[in-house]
Amino acid sequence: MDMLGEETIVYERPATLTDLSSHYCPGCTHGIAHRLAAEVLDEMNFRERTIGVASVGCSVFAYNYFNFDFVQAPHGRAPAMATGVKRVLPDRIVFTYQGDGDLASIGMGEIVAAAARGENITVIFINNANYGMTGGQMAPTTLPGQVTTSSPTGRDIEVAGFPIRVSEMLSSLDGAAYVVRRSLHDPKNIRLAKKAIRAAFEVQARGLGFSMVELLSTCPTNWGMTPVDAIHWLETKMLPYYPVGDYKVGPAVAEIKI
Amino acid sequence: MAKELLKGNVAIAEAAVRYGLEAYFGYPITPQTEMLEYLSKRMPELGRVFVQAESELGAVNMVYGAACTGARVMTSSSSPGISLMMEGLSYIAGTELPAVLVDVMRGGPGLGNIAPSQQDYNQITHGGGHGDYYPIVLAPASIQEAIDYIGLAFDLSEKYRSLAVLLIDGSLGQMMEPAELPEMQPVRAAYPHWAARGATGRGRIVHTSIYLNPIEQEKTNFRILSRWREVQANEVRFKEYYLDDAEYAIIAFGTAGRVALSAVRAARAAGIKVGLLRPITLAPFPGNAVRELAKRVQSLLVVEMNNGQMVDDVLANIHDQTPVEFYGRPGGNVPLADEILAEIERIVKGKLTLNGHPRDRWLDRMLTKS
Amino acid sequence: MQVDIIIAGFGGQGVLFAGQLLAYAAMDNGYHVTWYPSYGPEMRGGTANCTVIIADEEIGAPVVGSPQVLLAMNRPSLDKYESSVKPDGFLIINSSIIDRPVVRKDVHVINVPANEIAEKIGDKRMTNMVMLGALLANLPLLSIETIVSELRAHLPERHQKLIPANIRALTEGARFQLEPV
Ligand SMILES: Cc1ncc(C[n+]2csc(CCOP(=O)(O)OP(=O)(O)O)c2C)c(N)n1
Ligand code: SF4
C-alpha cells in the first residue's frame, strides 16, 4: 500500500442503496441496474424526493435495496401506479423498475398508455429475454428459437409470434420524450447505460414527459449458463436483435447536456 | 392402468389431456406454472392448441372464444391471476358456456406469497365476478381426486353449460402421490348444437352476454338460476370419515380436510368420538348433509386455510342449532394435525356457545396466543 | 404404521431426488406415500427440503410438525429441525459438513461422513445416496435393492452410467447401522 500513500476510496456503496446483500442470483445484472440507478439518484441529490415503484418479477424486492420511499405494484401495473403517485405529487421523482414479462406482456396496456399520455415518469426496463422469477418461461422478448420452460422446443414464431422490440414501439408515441436501449454486458456499455439513466431522470426533473431506458440484461440461472457465458450470449444473440440506440429523443430533450 | 408417482400440477394437466382437452390458454404463476410448462410440450405433440397468453386477462378471454366453438377448453392460474380473470369468467357465465378453470390457491391478499392457502373460497364459490352466476366448484384432497375431478369438471360444465372450477391449494399442486391416470380418450367428434363453428347448412348462432332489455336479462338470470337448482339437486358430493358414532365433527375441504383426517385419527386413538365431513363440491355446498350432521353431534369444528370463509356457509345451513367453532391458518400456512387435535380437545373439554361468531372467538384466541 | 421423514439440505445436494426415490420405492412396495417439497424462491441458492410420508393407510396431512426421521445434509437443516424430531426418532447427520454435535439426548444419532465417502467413491454428487443408504439401514422398511431398481427406472438416460457408483454409495452408507438396542 506504500505506493498509494494515504488510503483513497475509489469505490463505495451509493448512499441510496441499503447495506444488504441482494437475493439476486450470482452474475445477474439486476444488481448492476440497481447500482446505476442509485448512483444517478445520489449524484442528482434526489434521494429524498424519489418514490420508486417496484413491479412483479425478480425485482419485486427492489424496495429492500433502494434507500428511499417505495411502493410495489401488481404484475404489469407499475406505470399506472406510478401515474397515481406522480399526479398527486408532481414535484417528486417517480420511477418504475420493470422486467420484460411485467412490462411487455401483462403490462403492455399500462406502459403504452403511460407513454402515450406523456406521463412524466421514468421507467427502467430490464430485458432479459425470459420470465426470471417464475422459472424461465417464454417472455415477449424471448428470441425466435430460444428454448425456455414454456417453449421447450424453442420459440416457434408460427405459434408464439415474434419478439417485441419495446423501445422501437414506444418511440412511435408522441407522448414519449426519451426512449433508449442500452446493454449491461461490458464496462463501456454499462457507463453508457448510466448516462442514459441520468438523462432519463433529467427529462423527468424538467417535466419533459415520459422517459424509459431499456437495459439488456442476463439471467444466468434460467438461461442455464455461467455468468460469463450469459454475458457472451447477451452480446452475440440479444444485441443483434435488440440494437442499442436512442429511439426517441424529443427536441427539448436533445438540449440536455450531461 | 398402474399407479404412477405424480406431481399434482402435472397430473391435472395430463388428466385433462386424456379427458379430451382441445385447447389450453395460460400464463405463468407459481405454484401452478408446471401445468402451463407441461402443456406447452404436450398439447403441440398431439396437434392440440396451446397458447401462452400475454396475461390472465388474455388467457381467460381466449378461453371465452374457444368455449364459443364448443371445444373442451381449460385455463389454470393461482390467486392473483384468478382475480384478473374475474371479468372473463363473468362473461363466460353470462353467455352460458362451459369452461374449466383450475385455481391453485396461494397466500393473499395482494401479491401475498406462493405458499398453500384456501383464501379464494369466497371469490370462487360465490362468483367473484359481477352479476349473478354460479360456478361448480370441486375441491380434491389428493392427487387421485384431482385427476378424477378434472374429468368430472369437464363433464359437469358441459352438462350444465356452466363454469367448473377445480379449487386446490399450492401443496396439492406441488406434492407427489401415487395415482392412476385415465386411459387416453379421443377428442370429441361431435359438437353441441350451440357451438359457433360456422353456419354451414343452418341458421346463425350468436354468443353474447348483452341483454339490453332488463326483462330479457332477468329471464337469463332465472334460466341460470334454474339450472343451478338442478346442479344443487343432483351434483352434491362429499366424503365422510368416522361419522357413524361421532359426537363431534370436523368440516374441512382439500388439504385442510386431509390434515383434519390425521387429527381425527389421533383423537380417536385417544378415545374421542370425532369424525370428518369433507365437502368435495364446495358449490353446490353439501348443505343438507351438514344440517343432518349438525343434528347428530354436540358441536362442529370448521377448519380452513383462511380467515373463515366456508364457515359462513356452514352457519347459513344449520341456523344456530348446534355450536360451531372455527380454526384457520390464513396467509399460506398449512395447519398441523396437532393444532387441530388441540382444538378438538378444547372443544370436548370446554363450554360451547351459540352466541357470537366462531370467527371472532377464533381470532381472539389466535391473538392472545401470539 | 406411518413413518414421517424430512430430508433437508442445500439446493443442489440432491435432497428432492433422494426423497423421490424413497417415494417411488414405497409406492412400488405397496405403501401409501406422499412427497412434499419446499418450493419457490426458497430454491434459489438457499435450502431445500422435502417431507416423505410412508404409511399403510390413506395418508392425511402431507406435512408434519415432528418427523420420526430427519436426514440433515447440512448445518442449517440440523439447526432448523433438530428440536422437532420425535423422541426415540432418528437423526441422520452429514458429519462431513455439520460441525456441531446433536444436543438432543432422546433420539438416535447416526453420524455419516457422507461427503468424504462420496468423494472416495469419486463423485461428490453421491452424498445424498450415502445418506439414503444410512437411512435405509436404520429403518428397515425398504431395501437397498428396491432403491437401485428405482434408480434404474428414474435416472435420466445420460446418468444411467452412474448406477454402479450409486450402488456403492448406498452400500457404504448402509454400513452406518446403529446397534440394535
Ligand atoms: C397477475 C399475476 N400473474 C402472474 C404472476 C406471476 N409472476 C410473478 S413474476 C412473473 C414474471 C416476471 O418476469 P419478468 O417481468 O420478465 O421479470 P424477471 O423476473 O425476469 O426479472 C410472473 C409471471 C403474478 N405475480 N401476478
Ligand atoms: S432468476 Fe434470472 S433475473 Fe432472476 S435473479 Fe436469477 S439470474 Fe436474475
Side-chain angles (χ1 to χ4, degrees):
Chain A
M1 289 295 105
D2 278 341
M3 281 163 59
L4 277 177
E6 255 179 79
E7 256 183 46
T8 1
I9 292 174
V10 291
Y11 193 77
E12 61 183 339
R13 177 172 48 81
T16 53
L17 281 188
T18 55
D19 189 7
L20 276 180
S21 55
S22 86
H23 71 294
Y24 297 112
C25 307
C28 173
T29 45
H30 264 303
I32 298 176
H34 279 36
R35 180 168 177 108
L36 296 186
E39 285 180 357
V40 166
L41 290 169
D42 267 9
E43 287 163 17
M44 297 174 86
N45 211 8
F46 277 171
R47 193 190 81 80
E48 292 178 8
R49 306 174 47 187
T50 300
I51 295 154
V53 183
S55 65
V56 179
C58 286
S59 59
V60 66
F61 298 123
Y63 52 75
N64 286 334
Y65 312 130
F66 288 110
N67 188 14
F68 44 79
D69 286 2
F70 238 92
V71 296
Q72 201 271 306
H75 196 21
R77 315 293 174 230
M81 211 170 159
T83 300
V85 175
K86 183 75 183 185
R87 291 285 175 128
V88 174
L89 301 170
D91 63 338
R92 302 302 198 280
I93 299 297
V94 178
F95 79 97
T96 71
Y97 186 106
Q98 300 176 259
D100 44 9
D102 189 87
L103 180 142
S105 194
I106 193 168
M108 189 55 107
E110 281 72 13
I111 194 69
V112 170
R117 285 195 304 267
E119 208 59 63
N120 196 26
I121 59 172
T122 299
V123 173
I124 296 178
F125 167 42
I126 305 294
N127 176 353
N128 61 11
N130 77 12
Y131 286 67
M133 178 127 190
T134 41
Q137 294 78 26
M138 184 180 71
T141 46
T142 294
L143 297 176
Q146 185 184 336
V147 172
T148 70
T149 57
S150 63
S151 55
T153 51
R155 180 177 187 148
D156 177 356
I157 52 168
E158 294 293 328
V159 290
F162 296 89
I164 299 175
R165 294 187 180 93
V166 176
S167 291
E168 286 86 332
M169 193 184 76
L170 293 182
S171 70
S172 73
L173 298 169
D174 292 342
Y178 182 69
V179 176
V180 302
R181 181 181 296 119
R182 298 291 183 265
S183 175
L184 299 177
H185 70 279
D186 65 20
K188 176 171 157 254
N189 279 281
I190 290 171
R191 272 197 296 279
L192 293 173
K194 179 173 170 185
K195 263 184 105 169
I197 293 172
R198 170 80 194 231
F201 280 116
E202 286 290 351
V203 167
Q204 183 180 166
R206 297 176 193 207
L208 299 177
F210 179 88
S211 55
M212 182 182 89
V213 181
E214 173 175 348
L215 297 171
L216 300 182
S217 283
T218 64
C219 178
T221 298
N222 289 307
W223 294 357
M225 293 178 198
T226 64
V228 173
D229 287 350
I231 292 282
H232 185 68
W233 193 85
L234 188 166
E235 199 179 348
T236 53
K237 297 291 196 301
M238 284 180 76
L239 265 179
Y241 206 95
Y242 298 111
V244 293
D246 297 354
Y247 289 94
K248 178 78 178 277
V249 181
V253 177
E255 323 248 296
I256 299 178
K257 296 273 169 303
I258 297 168
Chain B
M1 264 191 198
K3 282 198 170 170
E4 300 166 59
L5 189 67
L6 295 166
K7 186 172 197 156
N9 283 334
V10 171
I12 294 168
E14 176 61 22
V17 165
R18 296 191 186 191
Y19 284 119
L21 177 69
E22 294 172 73
Y24 172 90
F25 308 95
Y27 187 76
I29 183 165
T30 316
Q32 158 284 155
T33 305
E34 293 86 355
M35 243 179 275
L36 169 105
E37 291 176 341
Y38 182 84
L39 291 171
S40 75
K41 181 152 187 283
R42 186 73 169 129
M43 294 295 272
E45 261 170 24
L46 296 166
R48 303 189 193 173
V49 177
F50 167 89
V51 179
Q52 178 179 324
E54 70 278 16
S55 67
E56 292 84 354
L57 201 54
V60 75
N61 285 293
M62 292 175 191
V63 167
Y64 189 15
C68 289
T69 73
R72 260 203 171 175
V73 55
M74 170 176 121
T75 184
S76 59
S77 188
S78 174
S79 312
I82 300 291
S83 287
L84 266 185
M85 290 187 179
M86 283 299 148
E87 178 191 59
L89 296 181
S90 171
Y91 277 70
I92 291 169
T95 313
E96 299 166 76
L97 294 167
V100 169
L101 166 71
V102 183
D103 179 3
V104 186
M105 293 178 281
R106 61 186 231 179
L111 204 47
N113 57 45
I114 58 174
S117 111
Q118 298 181 329
Q119 294 180 279
D120 302 356
Y121 176 93
N122 277 338
Q123 183 191 35
I124 294 292
T125 59
H126 296 304
H130 61 283
D132 280 304
Y133 72 94
Y134 314 91
I136 296 165
V137 184
L138 303 169
S142 67
I143 292 172
Q144 187 64 58
E145 285 187 354
I147 290 170
D148 298 345
Y149 299 157
I150 193 72
L152 182 64
F154 284 121
D155 292 343
L156 294 181
S157 95
E158 284 158 16
K159 182 169 171 197
Y160 296 101
R161 287 181 65 170
S162 163
L163 277 168
V165 184
L166 195 72
L167 190 66
I168 67 174
D169 65 78
S171 70
L172 266 177
Q174 296 296 322
M175 68 187 254
M176 292 177 98
E177 254 184 331
E180 202 176 323
L181 285 162
E183 300 278 353
M184 189 68 147
Q185 295 171 15
V187 167
R188 76 173 66 178
Y191 287 88
H193 63 88
W194 50 260
R197 304 177 69 87
T200 330
R202 58 154 168 77
R204 70 198 182 111
I205 283 165
V206 176
H207 283 306
T208 171
S209 67
I210 185 170
Y211 297 92
L212 279 184
N213 179 346
I215 296 298
E216 288 306 312
Q217 179 68 65
E218 189 178 54
K219 275 188 200 158
T220 305
N221 293 135
F222 288 162
R223 186 169 60 244
I224 293 174
L225 182 55
S226 305
R227 213 181 275 143
W228 180 244
R229 275 209 308 212
E230 261 180 74
V231 177
Q232 284 178 313
N234 300 321
E235 307 299 349
V236 169
R237 288 168 170 79
F238 54 89
K239 236 181 135 173
E240 296 178 313
Y241 303 82
Y242 305 100
L243 279 180
D244 284 347
D245 62 342
E247 292 165 6
Y248 304 88
I250 299 183
I251 303 178
F253 69 94
T255 295
R258 288 183 78 128
V259 181
L261 176 60
S262 292
V264 164
R265 285 192 186 130
R268 284 265 165 188
I272 302 173
K273 289 191 173 159
V274 55
L276 168 69
L277 185 145
R278 180 162 66 76
I280 284 165
T281 50
L282 299 178
F285 189 71
N288 290 337
V290 166
R291 190 158 39 251
E292 290 310 311
L293 179 62
K295 287 182 195 154
R296 290 197 276 135
V297 295
Q298 295 183 27
S299 83
L300 292 172
L301 169 65
V302 178
V303 179
E304 299 178 71
M305 283 147 60
N306 57 36
N307 271 356
Q309 301 190 19
M310 183 179 70
V311 67
D312 285 327
D313 287 331
V314 170
L315 290 170
N317 274 288
I318 64 174
H319 313 298
D320 275 355
Q321 36 168 325
T322 311
V324 175
E325 289 291 292
F326 172 72
Y327 185 71
R329 292 299 305 269
N333 295 286
V334 181
L336 295 173
D338 285 347
E339 295 168 47
I340 303 177
L341 179 61
E343 284 297 299
I344 298 172
E345 285 165 346
R346 185 181 64 78
I347 290 168
V348 170
K349 280 193 218 116
K351 270 210 304 283
L352 296 166
T353 173
L354 284 169
N355 297 330
H357 197 289
R359 188 190 295 113
D360 292 326
R361 295 194 289 276
W362 160 74
L363 184 60
D364 288 340
R365 286 194 301 277
M366 294 301 270
L367 295 179
T368 32
K369 229 192 285 175
S370 58
Chain C
M1 184 280 299
Q2 175 164 323
V3 185
D4 312 324
I5 302 160
I6 289 183
I7 306 179
F10 294 123
Q13 278 185 313
V15 161
L16 300 183
F17 184 64
Q20 282 180 6
L21 278 179
L22 263 183
Y24 280 118
M27 172 178 78
D28 289 337
N29 279 271
Y31 292 111
H32 292 260
V33 62
T34 56
W35 172 91
Y36 182 79
S38 57
Y39 63 88
E42 234 185 295
M43 279 163 57
R44 209 163 287 150
T47 58
N49 70 72
C50 63
T51 304
V52 178
I53 301 179
I54 302 173
D56 56 10
E57 62 176 342
E58 184 183 340
I59 295 170
V63 284
V64 291
S66 34
Q68 280 108 310
V69 185
L70 169 66
L71 213 135
M73 302 279 287
N74 64 5
R75 169 84 190 255
S77 306
L78 180 65
D79 293 346
K80 183 167 173 193
Y81 293 109
E82 174 174 355
S83 61
S84 69
V85 176
K86 278 219 173 76
D88 228 26
F90 290 84
L91 245 159
I92 302 172
I93 303 285
N94 179 5
S95 58
S96 303
I97 56 169
I98 296 181
D99 54 1
R100 74 161 174 87
V102 170
V103 180
R104 292 271 299 268
K105 296 281 174 254
D106 57 345
V107 292
H108 307 282
V109 179
I110 298 130
N111 285 302
V112 186
N115 283 35
E116 275 108 328
I117 296 174
E119 271 156 36
K120 224 169 51 206
I121 292 169
D123 197 333
K124 252 182 86 172
R125 287 171 301 177
M126 297 297 142
T127 314
N128 58 346
M129 290 299 120
V130 177
M131 294 289 284
L132 193 55
L135 173 102
L136 295 170
N138 289 286
L139 200 83
L141 197 64
L142 301 163
S143 68
I144 298 224
E145 291 70 47
T146 345
I147 298 288
V148 172
S149 65
E150 298 303 344
L151 275 167
R152 291 213 167 88
H154 301 291
L155 264 189
E157 197 50 45
R158 61 181 195 285
H159 287 150
Q160 287 284 329
K161 57 179 189 301
L162 296 175
I163 286 185
N166 276 283
I167 297 178
R168 274 195 65 195
L170 286 162
T171 324
E172 289 289 321
R175 287 170 43 192
F176 292 83
Q177 190 177 6
L178 278 192
E179 299 293 321
V181 230

